[in-house]
Amino acid sequence: MDVVELLPRLVMLRFPVGQAYVWRDGANAVTLVDAGPAGSGARIVEAVTALGARPGAVRRVVLTHFHEDHAGGAAEVAALTGAEVLAHRLDAPHVRGDAPGPPPALEDWEGPLHRRALSLLPPGEYERPSTVTELSDGDVLDVGGGGHVLHVPGHTHGSIALHLPDTGVLFTGDTVAVSPVDGTLIPGVFNLDRRQLLASCARLAALDTETACFGHGDPVLTGAGGRLRAMVRAGT
């Protein structure tokens, strides 16, 4: 796992597939956005400790969606820190393991990429958090002066983004990604409903965003709103 400091209060944790983010409102108020794949919990807590916060400072784990590369480490982090795990109400049953998550409707070209991504994840079942606080569109969390929860379906039915208007930071989850070919922003892949996803991308592009953090690909630290709007105009 690589640890990359992006802003004074924002750190990225990069895994073999996917990434998570640490937001610090103070030494005793840490929020984790996504939790990496199964087996990541101890390394995440070590990274938080290295940043100068004790494990108990991790107050919450906000999951952008239920996929294992984002939610697999949530139960481990919660057990090590006492953090609350939060997810949209439509994805929460899949995070808890109460119901299997629906598989993506892959386009032909996505098949090999999806199989490659799955091969990088730990095999077998993984621990699920027994308690998940269910979120809805419009909820505001005590993060970064007020973290606004936006329901952005398409990648999964319960995908969310987290927007911090006071700082202009946006966590998109897998609704937006970065092209590995040329670094441009693109709508996310491996979706349940691409039409819904494109509408969700347009919603995110309308926000006042300076810094955008994605589930896959390097964050955009400045001028992110303009790049999101360019993506939508391109119609990709």
Side-chain angles (χ1 to χ4, degrees):
M1 182 185 77
D2 296 328
V3 179
V4 183
E5 186 158 0
L6 303 173
L7 299 172
R9 292 194 284 171
L10 178 62
V11 169
M12 179 175 65
L13 308 177
R14 178 168 279 155
F15 306 96
V17 56
Q19 48 218 30
Y21 297 90
V22 178
W23 177 269
R24 296 170 286 179
D25 280 309
N28 296 313
V30 174
T31 295
L32 188 67
V33 180
D34 288 329
S40 302
R43 287 176 293 165
I44 289 172
V45 173
E46 288 173 4
V48 169
T49 302
L51 294 170
R54 54 187 178 79
V58 182
R59 295 185 179 179
R60 63 188 66 81
V61 181
V62 181
L63 298 177
T64 59
H65 59 292
F66 74 85
H67 288 160
E68 182 185 346
D69 53 328
H70 295 259
E76 301 161 10
V77 172
L80 292 168
T81 66
E84 178 184 21
V85 178
L86 305 93
H88 190 271
R89 59 180 180 81
L90 295 179
D91 271 19
H94 311 316
V95 173
R96 289 190 297 263
D98 295 341
L106 297 176
E107 300 183 28
D108 289 343
W109 64 269
E110 293 179 315
L113 296 175
H114 190 250
R115 289 190 292 272
R116 168 65 176 163
L118 291 179
S119 74
L120 296 173
L121 295 174
E125 288 298 313
Y126 58 94
E127 184 182 3
R128 309 297 185 103
S130 58
T131 302
V132 178
T133 299
E134 298 189 2
L135 299 172
S136 296
D137 185 69
D139 287 346
V140 180
L141 307 180
D142 185 18
V143 182
H148 293 239
V149 174
L150 295 90
H151 182 209
V152 285
H155 185 65
T156 68
H157 294 312
S159 286
I160 61 170
L162 184 66
H163 183 222
L164 312 183
D166 284 2
T167 57
V169 174
L170 175 67
F171 301 94
T172 73
D174 281 1
T175 299
V176 180
V178 180
S179 168
V181 177
D182 60 9
T184 58
L185 301 190
I186 58 172
V189 297
F190 312 153
N191 304 304
L192 289 176
D193 188 323
R194 182 170 171 81
R195 180 187 59 81
Q196 274 193 331
L197 180 94
L198 294 177
S200 293
C201 287
R203 184 183 186 190
L204 296 183
L207 299 173
D208 185 8
T209 301
E210 181 68 14
T211 299
C213 300
F214 316 107
H216 303 270
D218 290 338
V220 174
L221 299 183
T222 59
R227 291 188 59 181
L228 288 167
R229 288 185 284 276
M231 175 191 73
V232 170
R233 286 195 301 270
T236 53

